[in-house]
Amino acid sequence: MAAEAIGTRSGAAGILGRVGAGVLDALQVLGEVATLFVAATRAVPRSEGDRQRLVAQLVRVGTDTLPIGALLSLFVGMVLVVQSADQLRNVSQEVLGPIVGLAMTKELGPVMMAFLLAGRAGSAMAAELGSMAVYDEVNALRTLDVDPVRFLVTPRLIAAALALPMLVLYSDFIGVVGGALVIALDPAITLSVHGYLERMLEWVDFSDVVVGLAKGFVFGIIASIVPCAFGLRTRGGAEGVARSTTAAVVWSFILILVFDFLIVRITFALT
Amino acid sequence: MTATAQAEHGVRAELAGVRKSYDGVEVLRGVDLVVEPGKLVAILGQSGTGKSVTLRQLIGLERPDAGRIVVGGIPIERYVAMDPEEKPFRIAMVFQSAALLASLTVAENVSLRLREHGHLPDREIREITRRALEQVELAGCEDKYPTELSGGMRKRAAIARALAVDPELILYDEPTADLDPILTEQIGSLIARIRETRGSTQMFVTHNVPLARAISDRIAVLDAGRIAEYVTPEELLASRHPLTREMLRAAGLH
């Protein structure tokens, strides 16, 4: 409202107003996400009876993501080797293993799987909860004295936080296999598969894998809590559900990258 | 069940000076309404006059900007904040869209509160669910999902979900909207039967004047965010209020 009033005075002030309103909106979204995260986490001890819903969410978030996750990781691993081998043609292809291993475990595995989860399961969460909010199903839960956060959000949060580190490990493995496939089949690459794996194991520490898993855990929280927050705040029928779903995916991607940067900075500071 | 027992099962609901605005637009402008225990009250009015909003205030889904809501002697904000196990009575609401959870079967929807809070043995929960579904003539639909039901069946399943919590106050938001005349009559009969068999206090929002006249003890006419009239079905016919006369004329009753 304030932004609109400012916008009528002059162009510069209008831009400032719009930027200000955008910042306020962003802060409101972050506040709602943080509040929902706290509420969903506090509801974890009361979720003993929700095993069935948790398993259903684990299947949706984890198991159903395996085929597309495998395809994505395989091709990324293959592309990494093809691209790197070409760049290293006149240097040494010995480092192909470390390149694929470190890239997959520390960065590509967690970020790729997080994007996949946010785009696939996260958008479904936002659409489902948005539809439930629009059609009074969330209100119906309230009138039945059932806490919507505990009933709807907590199982999704736990499932994503547990499933994403597993998906990261899975993605790391498939990516490495993809790289090995190219090395085995591409006559332009002189490095053997054995050499590729040996160099990789020399360079990739257990701590690198742990960093990837930690990223997976944090990204899993983001990729579930953000869509749930957008889903629950949905208003305005089918159009509102579409808006919430789009915003949930965009915000999830942004926050995943922001937290990726923060985790990298923190791990570099600690080592 | 005796008449005394029936009356005891319902609770008194009172709204005093209730006001509610959305985005600066005042929808409720001081609603005053008292519903005595065990009575069935219809709320009539044009679209957008705050009928559904009134029900949402009454069950505590939204907070009024001003005014007081007391149900069963307890201010609604205090009732909402109470631990579910400590609530001395229950309020149920049947939403216009039925609002059944799509991921749960009909039986799971109906038994949801009992499973979440009741601490009842599984066999007893199944028996209560069966009885609630029988009351709304949906026996045999336990394992169906809401998407497999017709509109009328979904409404009845939502009523069964309300009945399963044994409520002292039941609120219905347009329970017959989008239903054909036969289904409308069935739902109307069902609501009337609940009054006879359980004695719960009931309030329903509707545009259907003949239905309101046929089953209600009293009818509240909501006009521009205020209760314009609160009369018996007989008194409604003799009303001089312009909106009431217009609604009666549109329904072919004037």
Side-chain angles (χ1 to χ4, degrees), chain A residues 50 52-53 60 128 132 135-137 139-147 150-152, chain B residues 56 59 61 84 87 91 93 95 97 99-102 104 108 112-113 116-117 161 165:
Chain A
D50 293 343
Q52 204 180 336
R53 277 193 294 282
R60 271 193 195 181
E128 188 180 6
M132 290 182 76
Y135 294 109
D136 275 327
E137 290 172 38
N139 279 334
L141 285 173
R142 291 191 181 106
T143 64
L144 292 165
D145 291 322
V146 178
D147 176 10
R150 201 216 77 220
F151 192 82
L152 299 171
Chain B
R56 284 169 182 268
I59 199 168
L61 282 175
K87 289 182 177 175
I91 310 173
M93 183 155 173
F95 291 86
S97 60
L100 298 170
L101 272 71
L104 303 183
E108 287 168 341
L112 186 57
R113 190 188 187 281
E116 292 287 322
H117 295 295
R161 183 171 66 183
V165 305

Side-chain angles (χ1 to χ4, degrees), chain A residues 158-270:
Chain A
I158 296 173
L162 289 178
L164 199 51
M166 300 300 111
L167 285 171
V168 169
L169 274 183
Y170 172 77
S171 170
D172 294 348
F173 175 74
I174 303 273
V176 169
V177 169
L181 273 177
V182 174
I183 286 169
L185 300 173
D186 191 339
I189 299 174
T190 53
L191 182 71
S192 68
V193 172
H194 182 260
Y196 162 78
L197 293 173
E198 202 172 40
R199 291 273 87 78
M200 185 186 294
L201 290 173
E202 278 172 19
W203 277 80
V204 179
D205 287 338
F206 179 67
S207 63
D208 297 323
V209 178
V210 171
V211 168
L213 293 179
K215 281 186 178 181
F217 180 75
V218 174
F219 296 168
I221 290 171
I222 294 169
S224 55
I225 206 75
V226 172
C228 287
F230 274 96
L232 290 177
R233 78 202 294 261
T234 302
R235 300 285 180 276
E239 200 184 326
V241 174
R243 266 199 309 271
S244 286
T245 307
T246 307
V249 173
V250 171
W251 269 94
S252 297
F253 282 11
I254 292 169
L255 287 177
I256 285 165
L257 291 174
V258 169
F259 274 82
D260 187 29
F261 173 77
L262 292 175
I263 292 169
V264 170
R265 290 301 307 171
I266 290 167
T267 50
F268 279 10
L270 291 175

Side-chain angles (χ1 to χ4, degrees), chain A residues 78-150:
Chain A
M78 289 163 72
V79 168
L80 261 180
V81 168
V82 171
Q83 292 266 28
S84 306
D86 183 57
Q87 297 296 317
L88 298 167
R89 201 173 42 227
N90 301 321
V91 191
S92 166
Q93 293 180 338
E94 290 285 311
V95 290
L96 281 176
I99 286 175
V100 174
L102 288 172
M104 287 304 299
T105 53
K106 293 183 82 170
E107 190 61 33
L108 290 177
V111 172
M112 255 186 345
M113 288 301 107
F115 277 15
L116 192 60
L117 193 77
R120 203 185 148 280
S123 61
M125 285 179 200
E128 188 180 6
L129 267 59
S131 177
M132 290 182 76
V134 166
Y135 294 109
D136 275 327
E137 290 172 38
V138 176
N139 279 334
L141 285 173
R142 291 191 181 106
T143 64
L144 292 165
D145 291 322
V146 178
D147 176 10
V149 173
R150 201 216 77 220

